[in-house]
Amino acid sequence: MYYQHAEDTIAAPATPQGMGAIAVIRVSGSQALSIVNRLFPTKDLTQVPSHTLHVGKIIWKNQWLDEVVVSVFKAPRSYTGEDVVEISSHGSPVIVQRILQALTEAGARMALPGEFTLRSFLHGKMDLTQAEAVADLIAAESEAAVQNALRHIRGGFSAELQQLRNQLLQFASLIELELDFSEEDVEFADRQALKQLLNAIDQRVQQLLQSYTWGNVVKHGFQVVIAGKPNVGKSTLLNALLNENRAIVSDIPGTTRDTVEELIQLNGLLFRLIDTAGLRVSEDVVEQIGVARTHEKILQADMILYLFDITQITQSEWEQALTWLQELRKPYLILLNKTDLSSTLPKFVKPNQQIMLISAQQRLHLQELKDRLVEMAQQSRVQGEGSIITNARHYAALQKVKQGIQDIYLGLEQHISSDLLANDIRKCLHDLGEITGEVTTEDILDYIFSHFCIGK
Ligand code: GDP
Protein backbone atom coordinates (compact mmCIF):
# COMPACT_ATOMS: atom_id res chain seq x y z
CA MET A 1 0.00 0.00 0.00
CA TYR A 2 2.92 2.34 0.68
CA TYR A 3 4.46 2.71 -2.75
CA GLN A 4 1.24 4.03 -4.20
CA HIS A 5 0.59 7.75 -4.34
CA ALA A 6 4.12 8.73 -3.38
CA GLU A 7 3.53 11.97 -5.26
CA ASP A 8 0.68 13.05 -2.94
CA THR A 9 1.28 15.78 -0.42
CA ILE A 10 0.56 14.34 3.00
CA ALA A 11 -0.44 15.87 6.34
CA ALA A 12 -0.75 14.58 9.91
CA PRO A 13 -0.51 15.72 13.50
CA ALA A 14 3.03 15.07 14.81
CA THR A 15 2.14 15.59 18.47
CA PRO A 16 -0.05 13.22 20.54
CA GLN A 17 -3.81 13.56 20.58
CA GLY A 18 -5.28 15.50 23.45
CA MET A 19 -4.75 18.89 24.95
CA GLY A 20 -1.32 20.51 25.09
CA ALA A 21 0.21 23.96 24.97
CA ILE A 22 1.23 23.47 21.35
CA ALA A 23 0.38 20.97 18.64
CA VAL A 24 2.46 20.41 15.53
CA ILE A 25 0.94 19.47 12.19
CA ARG A 26 3.34 18.31 9.58
CA VAL A 27 2.86 18.60 5.81
CA SER A 28 5.22 17.00 3.27
CA GLY A 29 5.30 16.77 -0.51
CA SER A 30 5.86 18.78 -3.65
CA GLN A 31 2.71 20.84 -2.98
CA ALA A 32 3.34 21.40 0.73
CA LEU A 33 4.22 25.07 0.36
CA SER A 34 1.44 25.96 -2.04
CA ILE A 35 -1.19 24.09 -0.03
CA VAL A 36 -0.27 25.74 3.27
CA ASN A 37 -0.05 29.04 1.40
CA ARG A 38 -3.76 28.86 0.66
CA LEU A 39 -4.47 28.86 4.41
CA PHE A 40 -1.80 31.38 5.36
CA PRO A 41 -2.53 34.81 3.85
CA THR A 42 0.12 36.58 5.99
CA LYS A 43 3.01 35.77 3.69
CA ASP A 44 3.80 34.00 0.42
CA LEU A 45 5.53 30.85 1.69
CA THR A 46 6.67 29.83 -1.78
CA GLN A 47 9.00 32.86 -1.74
CA VAL A 48 10.58 32.46 1.73
CA PRO A 49 13.98 30.84 2.26
CA SER A 50 14.32 27.33 3.66
CA HIS A 51 14.67 26.80 7.42
CA THR A 52 12.72 29.91 8.41
CA LEU A 53 9.84 30.54 10.84
CA HIS A 54 6.78 32.68 10.13
CA VAL A 55 4.10 33.89 12.49
CA GLY A 56 0.65 34.42 11.06
CA LYS A 57 -3.02 33.52 10.93
CA ILE A 58 -4.55 30.40 9.49
CA ILE A 59 -7.68 31.44 7.64
CA TRP A 60 -9.84 29.03 5.67
CA LYS A 61 -13.11 29.82 3.96
CA ASN A 62 -13.12 33.26 5.59
CA GLN A 63 -12.81 31.73 9.03
CA TRP A 64 -9.93 32.50 11.33
CA LEU A 65 -8.80 29.12 12.71
CA ASP A 66 -5.76 30.06 14.80
CA GLU A 67 -2.62 32.11 15.06
CA VAL A 68 0.34 29.84 14.37
CA VAL A 69 4.06 29.55 13.70
CA VAL A 70 4.93 27.97 10.37
CA SER A 71 8.36 26.36 9.84
CA VAL A 72 9.55 25.88 6.28
CA PHE A 73 12.06 23.23 5.21
CA LYS A 74 12.70 22.99 1.51
CA ALA A 75 13.70 19.82 -0.34
CA PRO A 76 16.06 18.10 0.00
CA ARG A 77 17.07 19.56 3.38
CA SER A 78 14.14 18.18 5.36
CA TYR A 79 13.22 15.05 7.32
CA THR A 80 11.48 13.47 4.33
CA GLY A 81 13.73 14.95 1.65
CA GLU A 82 10.65 16.75 0.24
CA ASP A 83 9.30 20.23 0.93
CA VAL A 84 8.06 20.13 4.52
CA VAL A 85 5.96 22.66 6.40
CA GLU A 86 5.31 22.31 10.10
CA ILE A 87 2.45 24.28 11.57
CA SER A 88 2.69 24.87 15.33
CA SER A 89 -0.80 25.73 16.50
CA HIS A 90 -2.39 26.07 19.90
CA GLY A 91 -2.83 22.62 21.39
CA SER A 92 -6.61 22.21 21.32
CA PRO A 93 -7.68 19.03 19.53
CA VAL A 94 -10.48 21.05 17.90
CA ILE A 95 -7.99 23.47 16.32
CA VAL A 96 -5.80 20.59 15.11
CA GLN A 97 -8.80 18.89 13.57
CA ARG A 98 -9.97 22.04 11.80
CA ILE A 99 -6.54 22.85 10.40
CA LEU A 100 -6.15 19.27 9.16
CA GLN A 101 -9.53 19.43 7.52
CA ALA A 102 -8.61 22.72 5.84
CA LEU A 103 -5.35 21.17 4.62
CA THR A 104 -7.13 18.20 3.07
CA GLU A 105 -9.67 20.51 1.44
CA ALA A 106 -6.77 22.53 0.07
CA GLY A 107 -5.24 19.43 -1.58
CA ALA A 108 -3.29 17.38 0.98
CA ARG A 109 -4.27 13.90 2.10
CA MET A 110 -3.94 12.37 5.55
CA ALA A 111 -0.65 10.51 6.00
CA LEU A 112 -0.56 6.79 6.70
CA PRO A 113 1.34 5.56 9.78
CA GLY A 114 5.07 6.02 9.30
CA GLU A 115 4.64 7.63 5.89
CA PHE A 116 6.93 10.58 6.63
CA THR A 117 9.72 8.20 7.62
CA LEU A 118 8.96 5.98 4.63
CA ARG A 119 9.48 8.97 2.33
CA SER A 120 12.70 9.74 4.13
CA PHE A 121 13.80 6.16 3.33
CA LEU A 122 12.62 6.35 -0.29
CA HIS A 123 14.56 9.59 -0.77
CA GLY A 124 17.72 8.00 0.57
CA LYS A 125 17.81 10.08 3.77
CA MET A 126 18.10 6.94 5.89
CA ASP A 127 18.19 3.21 5.38
CA LEU A 128 15.69 0.69 6.73
CA THR A 129 17.50 -0.09 9.98
CA GLN A 130 17.68 3.63 10.71
CA ALA A 131 13.98 4.06 9.94
CA GLU A 132 13.19 1.16 12.26
CA ALA A 133 15.35 2.75 14.92
CA VAL A 134 13.23 5.91 14.70
CA ALA A 135 10.19 3.81 15.68
CA ASP A 136 12.24 2.18 18.45
CA LEU A 137 13.36 5.56 19.74
CA ILE A 138 9.80 6.82 19.96
CA ALA A 139 8.77 3.67 21.84
CA ALA A 140 11.89 3.54 24.05
CA GLU A 141 11.00 3.06 27.71
CA SER A 142 14.43 3.18 29.32
CA GLU A 143 17.76 4.93 29.07
CA ALA A 144 19.39 1.81 27.60
CA ALA A 145 16.68 1.50 24.92
CA VAL A 146 17.09 5.18 23.98
CA GLN A 147 20.86 4.83 23.69
CA ASN A 148 20.58 1.71 21.57
CA ALA A 149 18.01 3.26 19.22
CA LEU A 150 20.21 6.35 18.83
CA ARG A 151 23.18 4.15 18.00
CA HIS A 152 21.18 2.50 15.24
CA ILE A 153 19.94 5.86 13.94
CA ARG A 154 23.54 7.01 13.66
CA GLY A 155 23.94 4.06 11.31
CA GLY A 156 26.87 2.07 12.71
CA PHE A 157 25.04 -1.21 12.24
CA SER A 158 24.09 -0.47 8.62
CA ALA A 159 27.60 0.67 7.77
CA GLU A 160 29.00 -2.57 9.10
CA LEU A 161 26.53 -4.73 7.16
CA GLN A 162 27.12 -2.73 4.01
CA GLN A 163 30.84 -3.26 4.31
CA LEU A 164 30.39 -7.03 4.61
CA ARG A 165 27.98 -6.96 1.72
CA ASN A 166 30.36 -4.97 -0.49
CA GLN A 167 33.19 -7.40 0.14
CA LEU A 168 30.95 -10.29 -0.79
CA LEU A 169 29.73 -8.37 -3.81
CA GLN A 170 33.28 -8.10 -5.13
CA PHE A 171 33.59 -11.87 -5.05
CA ALA A 172 30.25 -12.26 -6.76
CA SER A 173 31.42 -10.02 -9.63
CA LEU A 174 34.68 -11.92 -10.03
CA ILE A 175 32.89 -15.26 -10.06
CA GLU A 176 30.37 -13.96 -12.54
CA LEU A 177 33.23 -12.83 -14.71
CA GLU A 178 34.48 -16.41 -14.69
CA LEU A 179 31.19 -17.44 -16.25
CA ASP A 180 32.03 -15.35 -19.32
CA PHE A 181 35.23 -17.30 -19.72
CA SER A 182 33.79 -20.66 -18.82
CA GLU A 183 35.47 -22.44 -21.72
CA GLU A 184 38.90 -21.36 -20.62
CA ASP A 185 38.60 -22.72 -17.09
CA VAL A 186 40.03 -19.67 -15.32
CA GLU A 187 39.52 -18.62 -11.71
CA PHE A 188 39.56 -14.88 -11.11
CA ALA A 189 38.22 -15.17 -7.60
CA ASP A 190 40.73 -16.42 -5.06
CA ARG A 191 38.89 -19.29 -3.35
CA GLN A 192 41.09 -19.14 -0.28
CA ALA A 193 40.45 -15.44 0.23
CA LEU A 194 36.74 -16.04 -0.24
CA LYS A 195 36.81 -18.70 2.49
CA GLN A 196 38.53 -16.24 4.81
CA LEU A 197 35.92 -13.62 4.12
CA LEU A 198 33.13 -16.15 4.72
CA ASN A 199 34.67 -17.04 8.06
CA ALA A 200 34.89 -13.41 9.05
CA ILE A 201 31.28 -12.73 8.05
CA ASP A 202 30.12 -15.88 9.81
CA GLN A 203 31.80 -14.83 13.04
CA ARG A 204 30.34 -11.36 12.95
CA VAL A 205 26.85 -12.66 12.12
CA GLN A 206 27.12 -15.13 14.98
CA GLN A 207 28.03 -12.32 17.39
CA LEU A 208 25.10 -10.25 16.18
CA LEU A 209 22.72 -13.20 16.58
CA GLN A 210 24.00 -13.75 20.11
CA SER A 211 23.45 -10.10 20.97
CA TYR A 212 19.71 -10.55 20.39
CA THR A 213 19.05 -11.94 23.88
CA TRP A 214 20.63 -8.87 25.40
CA GLY A 215 18.93 -6.72 22.74
CA ASN A 216 15.57 -7.98 23.95
CA VAL A 217 16.43 -7.02 27.50
CA VAL A 218 17.47 -3.57 26.32
CA LYS A 219 14.36 -3.04 24.23
CA HIS A 220 11.59 -4.82 26.10
CA GLY A 221 13.00 -5.05 29.60
CA PHE A 222 14.09 -7.91 31.85
CA GLN A 223 11.06 -9.87 33.00
CA VAL A 224 11.04 -10.74 36.67
CA VAL A 225 8.22 -12.81 38.10
CA ILE A 226 7.64 -12.31 41.83
CA ALA A 227 6.29 -15.59 43.22
CA GLY A 228 5.42 -16.94 46.65
CA LYS A 229 2.45 -17.72 48.89
CA PRO A 230 -0.08 -15.06 49.91
CA ASN A 231 1.02 -12.66 52.67
CA VAL A 232 4.74 -13.23 52.33
CA GLY A 233 5.14 -9.60 51.21
CA LYS A 234 5.11 -9.64 47.39
CA SER A 235 3.05 -6.47 46.94
CA THR A 236 4.99 -4.71 49.67
CA LEU A 237 8.23 -5.49 47.86
CA LEU A 238 6.82 -4.40 44.52
CA ASN A 239 5.70 -1.09 46.01
CA ALA A 240 9.00 -0.55 47.77
CA LEU A 241 10.84 -0.98 44.46
CA LEU A 242 8.33 1.13 42.54
CA ASN A 243 8.46 4.08 44.90
CA GLU A 244 11.99 4.97 43.98
CA ASN A 245 12.43 3.47 40.55
CA ARG A 246 9.17 3.65 38.67
CA ALA A 247 9.80 3.94 34.94
CA ILE A 248 8.20 6.83 33.10
CA VAL A 249 5.88 4.71 31.03
CA SER A 250 2.93 3.21 32.85
CA ASP A 251 0.51 2.08 30.18
CA ILE A 252 1.63 -0.49 27.66
CA PRO A 253 -0.87 -1.28 24.94
CA GLY A 254 -1.66 -4.94 24.49
CA THR A 255 -0.70 -6.20 27.91
CA THR A 256 -3.31 -8.08 29.85
CA ARG A 257 -4.02 -6.74 33.25
CA ASP A 258 -4.87 -9.92 35.13
CA THR A 259 -1.33 -10.16 36.40
CA VAL A 260 0.05 -6.95 37.84
CA GLU A 261 2.97 -5.80 35.76
CA GLU A 262 4.99 -2.77 36.72
CA LEU A 263 7.99 -1.18 35.06
CA ILE A 264 11.02 0.06 36.93
CA GLN A 265 14.35 1.37 35.79
CA LEU A 266 17.57 0.27 37.46
CA ASN A 267 20.94 1.48 36.17
CA GLY A 268 19.19 2.69 33.03
CA LEU A 269 17.76 -0.76 32.30
CA LEU A 270 14.08 -1.57 32.17
CA PHE A 271 12.69 -4.29 34.44
CA ARG A 272 9.20 -5.70 34.15
CA LEU A 273 8.09 -6.87 37.56
CA ILE A 274 5.19 -9.26 37.47
CA ASP A 275 3.33 -9.94 40.71
CA THR A 276 1.73 -13.35 40.57
CA ALA A 277 -1.12 -12.84 42.97
CA GLY A 278 -2.92 -15.78 41.36
CA LEU A 279 -0.35 -18.43 42.09
CA ARG A 280 -2.58 -20.45 44.39
CA VAL A 281 -4.59 -23.43 43.21
CA SER A 282 -8.28 -22.67 43.14
CA GLU A 283 -11.61 -24.30 42.35
CA ASP A 284 -12.84 -21.03 40.96
CA VAL A 285 -12.79 -21.18 37.15
CA VAL A 286 -12.09 -17.49 36.64
CA GLU A 287 -9.24 -17.65 39.05
CA GLN A 288 -7.92 -20.73 37.30
CA ILE A 289 -7.66 -18.77 34.08
CA GLY A 290 -5.67 -16.23 36.03
CA VAL A 291 -3.47 -19.05 37.28
CA ALA A 292 -2.94 -20.38 33.74
CA ARG A 293 -1.86 -16.92 32.63
CA THR A 294 0.42 -16.75 35.60
CA HIS A 295 2.13 -19.94 34.52
CA GLU A 296 2.47 -18.52 31.05
CA LYS A 297 4.16 -15.45 32.54
CA ILE A 298 6.46 -17.69 34.53
CA LEU A 299 7.46 -19.56 31.39
CA GLN A 300 8.24 -16.29 29.59
CA ALA A 301 10.09 -14.77 32.52
CA ASP A 302 13.81 -14.08 32.45
CA MET A 303 14.08 -14.80 36.16
CA ILE A 304 12.04 -15.61 39.26
CA LEU A 305 12.09 -13.88 42.62
CA TYR A 306 10.64 -16.35 45.13
CA LEU A 307 9.56 -14.84 48.44
CA PHE A 308 9.17 -16.49 51.82
CA ASP A 309 8.08 -15.03 55.14
CA ILE A 310 11.07 -15.98 57.30
CA THR A 311 8.85 -16.28 60.39
CA GLN A 312 6.44 -18.73 58.74
CA ILE A 313 8.60 -20.94 56.60
CA THR A 314 8.17 -24.74 56.82
CA GLN A 315 10.53 -27.43 55.62
CA SER A 316 8.08 -29.04 53.20
CA GLU A 317 7.21 -25.69 51.66
CA TRP A 318 10.90 -24.90 51.32
CA GLU A 319 11.65 -28.17 49.60
CA GLN A 320 8.66 -27.89 47.28
CA ALA A 321 9.70 -24.42 46.22
CA LEU A 322 13.29 -25.52 45.57
CA THR A 323 12.14 -28.44 43.44
CA TRP A 324 9.80 -26.17 41.51
CA LEU A 325 12.52 -23.58 40.89
CA GLN A 326 15.06 -26.15 39.79
CA GLU A 327 12.61 -27.75 37.39
CA LEU A 328 11.91 -24.38 35.80
CA ARG A 329 15.55 -24.10 34.75
CA LYS A 330 15.55 -20.33 34.99
CA PRO A 331 17.73 -17.99 36.99
CA TYR A 332 16.18 -17.33 40.39
CA LEU A 333 16.71 -15.63 43.72
CA ILE A 334 15.06 -16.70 46.95
CA LEU A 335 14.14 -13.82 49.23
CA LEU A 336 13.54 -14.45 52.92
CA ASN A 337 11.38 -11.48 53.83
CA LYS A 338 10.37 -9.85 57.13
CA THR A 339 13.85 -10.11 58.62
CA ASP A 340 12.93 -7.13 60.79
CA LEU A 341 10.90 -9.64 62.83
CA SER A 342 13.49 -12.39 62.89
CA SER A 343 16.71 -13.03 61.06
CA THR A 344 17.31 -16.57 62.26
CA LEU A 345 17.59 -19.00 59.39
CA PRO A 346 15.61 -22.19 59.83
CA LYS A 347 17.91 -25.25 60.18
CA PHE A 348 16.94 -26.67 56.77
CA VAL A 349 17.97 -23.47 54.95
CA LYS A 350 21.59 -23.58 53.92
CA PRO A 351 22.79 -20.09 52.99
CA ASN A 352 24.07 -19.67 49.44
CA GLN A 353 24.44 -17.10 46.65
CA GLN A 354 20.84 -17.45 45.60
CA ILE A 355 19.32 -16.68 49.00
CA MET A 356 18.96 -13.13 50.27
CA LEU A 357 17.54 -11.79 53.52
CA ILE A 358 15.43 -8.65 53.22
CA SER A 359 12.67 -6.67 54.79
CA ALA A 360 10.40 -5.20 52.17
CA GLN A 361 8.50 -3.14 54.71
CA GLN A 362 11.57 -1.74 56.47
CA ARG A 363 13.51 -1.47 53.19
CA LEU A 364 16.39 -3.55 54.45
CA HIS A 365 18.90 -4.80 51.86
CA LEU A 366 16.81 -3.57 48.95
CA GLN A 367 19.86 -1.95 47.37
CA GLU A 368 21.68 -5.31 47.38
CA LEU A 369 18.62 -6.85 45.79
CA LYS A 370 18.58 -4.22 43.03
CA ASP A 371 22.29 -4.73 42.39
CA ARG A 372 21.71 -8.45 42.05
CA LEU A 373 18.84 -7.88 39.61
CA VAL A 374 21.03 -5.67 37.42
CA GLU A 375 23.84 -8.20 37.59
CA MET A 376 21.52 -11.04 36.55
CA ALA A 377 20.03 -9.00 33.69
CA GLN A 378 23.50 -8.21 32.43
CA GLN A 379 24.54 -11.83 32.29
CA SER A 380 23.26 -12.08 28.72
CA ARG A 381 25.20 -8.97 27.76
CA VAL A 382 27.58 -9.51 24.88
CA GLN A 383 31.18 -8.57 25.30
CA GLY A 384 32.65 -5.71 23.32
CA GLU A 385 31.28 -2.54 21.86
CA GLY A 386 29.62 -3.84 18.69
CA SER A 387 26.04 -3.35 17.57
CA ILE A 388 23.19 -5.05 19.37
CA ILE A 389 20.29 -6.61 17.51
CA THR A 390 16.92 -5.67 19.00
CA ASN A 391 14.74 -6.27 16.01
CA ALA A 392 13.06 -9.61 15.22
CA ARG A 393 13.20 -8.87 11.49
CA HIS A 394 16.96 -8.38 11.59
CA TYR A 395 17.36 -11.54 13.64
CA ALA A 396 15.42 -13.61 11.12
CA ALA A 397 17.34 -12.13 8.19
CA LEU A 398 20.70 -12.74 9.88
CA GLN A 399 19.76 -16.37 10.45
CA LYS A 400 19.18 -16.67 6.72
CA VAL A 401 22.54 -15.00 6.07
CA LYS A 402 24.26 -17.46 8.38
CA GLN A 403 22.70 -20.39 6.56
CA GLY A 404 23.65 -18.81 3.24
CA ILE A 405 27.28 -18.39 4.30
CA GLN A 406 27.40 -22.05 5.28
CA ASP A 407 25.95 -23.06 1.89
CA ILE A 408 28.58 -21.05 0.02
CA TYR A 409 31.33 -22.53 2.17
CA LEU A 410 30.11 -26.04 1.55
CA GLY A 411 29.93 -25.31 -2.17
CA LEU A 412 33.56 -24.16 -2.14
CA GLU A 413 34.64 -27.30 -0.32
CA GLN A 414 32.84 -29.44 -2.87
CA HIS A 415 34.27 -27.42 -5.80
CA ILE A 416 30.86 -26.72 -7.27
CA SER A 417 30.68 -24.86 -10.56
CA SER A 418 31.05 -21.10 -10.72
CA ASP A 419 27.46 -20.52 -11.75
CA LEU A 420 26.08 -22.42 -8.75
CA LEU A 421 28.50 -20.60 -6.49
CA ALA A 422 27.47 -17.26 -7.96
CA ASN A 423 23.84 -18.16 -7.27
CA ASP A 424 24.50 -18.93 -3.63
CA ILE A 425 26.40 -15.68 -3.17
CA ARG A 426 23.63 -13.67 -4.83
CA LYS A 427 21.10 -15.21 -2.48
CA CYS A 428 23.21 -14.31 0.52
CA LEU A 429 23.69 -10.76 -0.76
CA HIS A 430 19.94 -10.48 -1.11
CA ASP A 431 19.37 -11.54 2.51
CA LEU A 432 21.99 -9.07 3.75
CA GLY A 433 20.50 -6.31 1.62
CA GLU A 434 17.04 -6.92 3.02
CA ILE A 435 18.19 -5.80 6.44
CA THR A 436 19.35 -2.36 5.40
CA GLY A 437 16.82 -1.96 2.61
CA GLU A 438 19.18 -2.16 -0.36
CA VAL A 439 16.80 -4.90 -1.42
CA THR A 440 13.17 -4.29 -0.52
CA THR A 441 9.81 -5.73 -1.26
CA GLU A 442 6.54 -3.98 -0.68
CA ASP A 443 5.71 -6.58 1.98
CA ILE A 444 8.73 -5.59 4.01
CA LEU A 445 7.91 -1.90 3.77
CA ASP A 446 4.28 -2.53 4.71
CA TYR A 447 5.36 -4.61 7.67
CA ILE A 448 7.77 -2.00 8.95
CA PHE A 449 5.91 1.22 8.36
CA SER A 450 2.43 0.07 9.35
CA HIS A 451 3.83 -0.39 12.87
CA PHE A 452 4.72 3.29 13.10
CA CYS A 453 2.47 5.91 14.61
CA ILE A 454 0.67 8.44 12.44
CA GLY A 455 2.65 11.63 11.97
CA LYS A 456 6.10 10.05 12.09
P1 GDP B 1 1.50 -10.62 49.43
O1 GDP B 1 0.19 -11.30 49.64
O2 GDP B 1 2.59 -11.62 49.25
O3 GDP B 1 1.47 -9.61 48.33
O4 GDP B 1 1.87 -9.87 50.79
P2 GDP B 1 1.70 -8.34 51.20
O5 GDP B 1 2.72 -7.50 50.54
O6 GDP B 1 0.27 -7.95 51.02
O7 GDP B 1 2.10 -8.38 52.71
C1 GDP B 1 1.37 -9.15 53.67
C2 GDP B 1 1.57 -8.54 55.04
O8 GDP B 1 2.94 -8.65 55.44
C3 GDP B 1 1.24 -7.06 55.11
O9 GDP B 1 0.58 -6.80 56.33
C4 GDP B 1 2.59 -6.38 55.08
O10 GDP B 1 2.59 -5.13 55.74
C5 GDP B 1 3.46 -7.38 55.79
N1 GDP B 1 4.85 -7.29 55.41
C6 GDP B 1 5.37 -7.29 54.15
N2 GDP B 1 6.70 -7.20 54.20
C7 GDP B 1 7.07 -7.12 55.50
C8 GDP B 1 8.32 -7.00 56.18
O11 GDP B 1 9.40 -6.91 55.59
N3 GDP B 1 8.27 -6.97 57.53
C9 GDP B 1 7.11 -7.05 58.23
N4 GDP B 1 7.17 -7.01 59.55
N5 GDP B 1 5.93 -7.15 57.60
C10 GDP B 1 5.89 -7.20 56.26
Side-chain angles (χ1 to χ4, degrees):
M1 80 181 164
Y2 278 101
Y3 270 136
Q4 294 161 13
H5 315 301
E7 70 287 350
D8 291 353
T9 292
I10 51 174
T15 38
Q17 284 214 332
M19 233 177 285
I22 291 173
V24 176
I25 298 163
R26 192 186 248 172
V27 188
S28 177
S30 57
Q31 302 304 309
L33 291 166
S34 62
I35 288 173
V36 178
N37 229 8
R38 296 179 60 192
L39 282 61
F40 193 73
T42 317
K43 217 180 253 181
D44 184 358
L45 294 174
T46 61
Q47 300 306 317
V48 303
S50 184
H51 293 71
T52 50
L53 302 178
H54 309 276
V55 182
K57 295 185 179 70
I58 293 280
I59 295 177
W60 185 243
K61 294 188 175 158
N62 296 323
Q63 240 196 332
W64 183 27
L65 300 187
D66 195 10
E67 180 148 18
V68 301
V69 176
V70 167
S71 329
V72 173
F73 307 90
K74 291 194 175 170
R77 288 174 57 216
S78 70
Y79 181 70
T80 57
E82 305 172 325
D83 283 348
V84 169
V85 182
E86 286 181 4
I87 304 171
S88 305
S89 71
H90 290 100
S92 148
V94 179
I95 294 177
V96 173
Q97 209 42 50
R98 289 175 73 183
I99 296 178
L100 275 172
Q101 196 180 346
L103 286 168
T104 51
E105 286 171 11
R109 82 160 154 79
M110 285 296 291
L112 297 168
E115 201 169 6
F116 292 93
T117 309
L118 171 81
R119 288 187 174 195
S120 173
F121 164 70
L122 291 177
H123 290 115
K125 288 251 148 189
M126 56 174 84
D127 71 19
L128 268 192
T129 64
Q130 289 170 314
E132 288 170 307
V134 171
D136 289 345
L137 184 61
I138 294 170
E141 295 168 324
S142 68
E143 189 58 35
V146 166
Q147 289 308 329
N148 190 58
L150 284 173
R151 218 174 0 242
H152 279 262
I153 288 178
R154 282 199 293 270
F157 175 50
S158 327
E160 191 180 358
L161 288 185
Q162 259 158 18
Q163 200 195 350
L164 296 179
R165 191 166 182 270
N166 287 343
Q167 287 172 321
L168 202 55
L169 200 61
Q170 279 175 12
F171 274 101
S173 333
L174 287 176
I175 287 174
E176 275 168 16
L177 201 60
E178 289 174 9
L179 300 181
D180 297 337
F181 294 86
S182 53
E183 263 127 64
E184 291 157 45
D185 198 21
V186 286
E187 279 192 1
F188 294 118
D190 178 350
R191 299 314 197 245
Q192 212 45 45
L194 177 55
K195 275 188 186 171
Q196 273 171 13
L197 175 66
L198 291 174
N199 276 329
I201 298 181
D202 187 57
Q203 256 183 24
R204 190 62 196 116
V205 168
Q206 186 57 29
Q207 277 168 351
L208 287 169
L209 286 170
Q210 278 168 356
S211 75
Y212 187 55
T213 316
W214 172 242
N216 260 323
V217 172
V218 167
K219 188 164 166 183
H220 302 294
F222 193 68
Q223 293 203 36
V224 182
V225 159
I226 305 180
K229 287 187 21 174
N231 283 325
V232 294
K234 296 186 295 296
S235 331
T236 311
L237 176 65
L238 191 63
N239 286 329
L241 293 171
L242 279 175
N243 278 342
E244 298 159 27
N245 310 93
R246 184 185 288 276
I248 312 151
V249 183
S250 57
D251 234 10
I252 322 123
T255 49
T256 52
R257 284 278 155 190
D258 34 58
T259 43
V260 180
E261 181 169 325
E262 296 285 358
L263 303 178
I264 62 168
Q265 217 187 142
L266 301 174
N267 277 26
L269 267 184
L270 188 71
F271 287 79
R272 290 178 184 277
L273 302 181
I274 301 147
D275 183 5
T276 59
L279 195 66
R280 55 184 175 275
V281 184
S282 161
E283 298 298 315
D284 184 316
V285 180
V286 177
E287 201 167 342
Q288 274 178 4
I289 294 171
V291 172
R293 293 244 167 85
T294 303
H295 283 297
E296 208 178 290
K297 285 283 177 195
I298 290 171
L299 291 180
Q300 290 167 2
D302 294 307
M303 75 165 286
I304 313 285
L305 275 184
Y306 199 103
L307 259 77
F308 283 100
D309 175 341
I310 195 167
T311 65
Q312 300 278 327
I313 188 166
T314 68
Q315 184 162 4
S316 72
E317 197 193 318
W318 174 257
E319 284 162 1
Q320 270 177 19
L322 274 189
T323 312
W324 181 73
L325 287 169
Q326 279 153 8
E327 280 172 0
L328 271 179
R329 294 174 189 283
K330 280 184 191 292
Y332 64 85
L333 275 181
I334 295 177
L335 302 179
L336 302 180
N337 187 30
K338 310 198 187 180
T339 53
D340 53 309
L341 300 178
S342 154
S343 57
T344 323
L345 281 188
K347 279 192 301 298
F348 48 86
V349 176
K350 302 276 170 284
N352 70 35
Q353 281 286 319
Q354 280 166 299
I355 300 175
M356 292 181 80
L357 278 68
I358 62 161
S359 166
Q361 197 189 54
Q362 302 300 319
R363 297 171 173 269
L364 296 177
H365 304 296
L366 291 192
Q367 190 54 47
E368 283 103 307
L369 172 60
K370 290 183 211 167
D371 293 346
R372 275 306 287 281
L373 289 177
V374 171
E375 197 182 297
M376 291 177 90
Q378 289 192 330
Q379 266 163 14
S380 59
R381 187 170 201 154
V382 271
Q383 295 304 313
E385 271 302 291
S387 308
I388 302 164
I389 301 296
T390 54
N391 185 307
R393 190 183 75 82
H394 301 170
Y395 185 75
L398 283 171
Q399 275 182 317
K400 283 201 283 180
V401 171
K402 187 167 170 60
Q403 184 58 50
I405 295 286
Q406 279 164 4
D407 290 346
I408 303 170
Y409 203 94
L410 206 67
L412 280 174
E413 297 272 279
Q414 295 171 345
H415 302 286
I416 61 168
S417 65
S418 303
D419 57 338
L420 290 179
L421 198 57
N423 253 346
D424 285 348
I425 298 182
R426 287 274 161 217
K427 189 182 158 299
C428 195
L429 283 169
H430 178 95
D431 293 336
L432 266 173
E434 268 194 353
I435 303 177
T436 53
E438 280 156 304
V439 180
T440 46
T441 63
E442 204 160 326
D443 284 350
I444 296 183
L445 294 185
D446 270 357
Y447 170 79
I448 293 172
F449 289 99
S450 59
H451 286 79
F452 267 77
C453 49
I454 299 240
K456 191 61 214 178

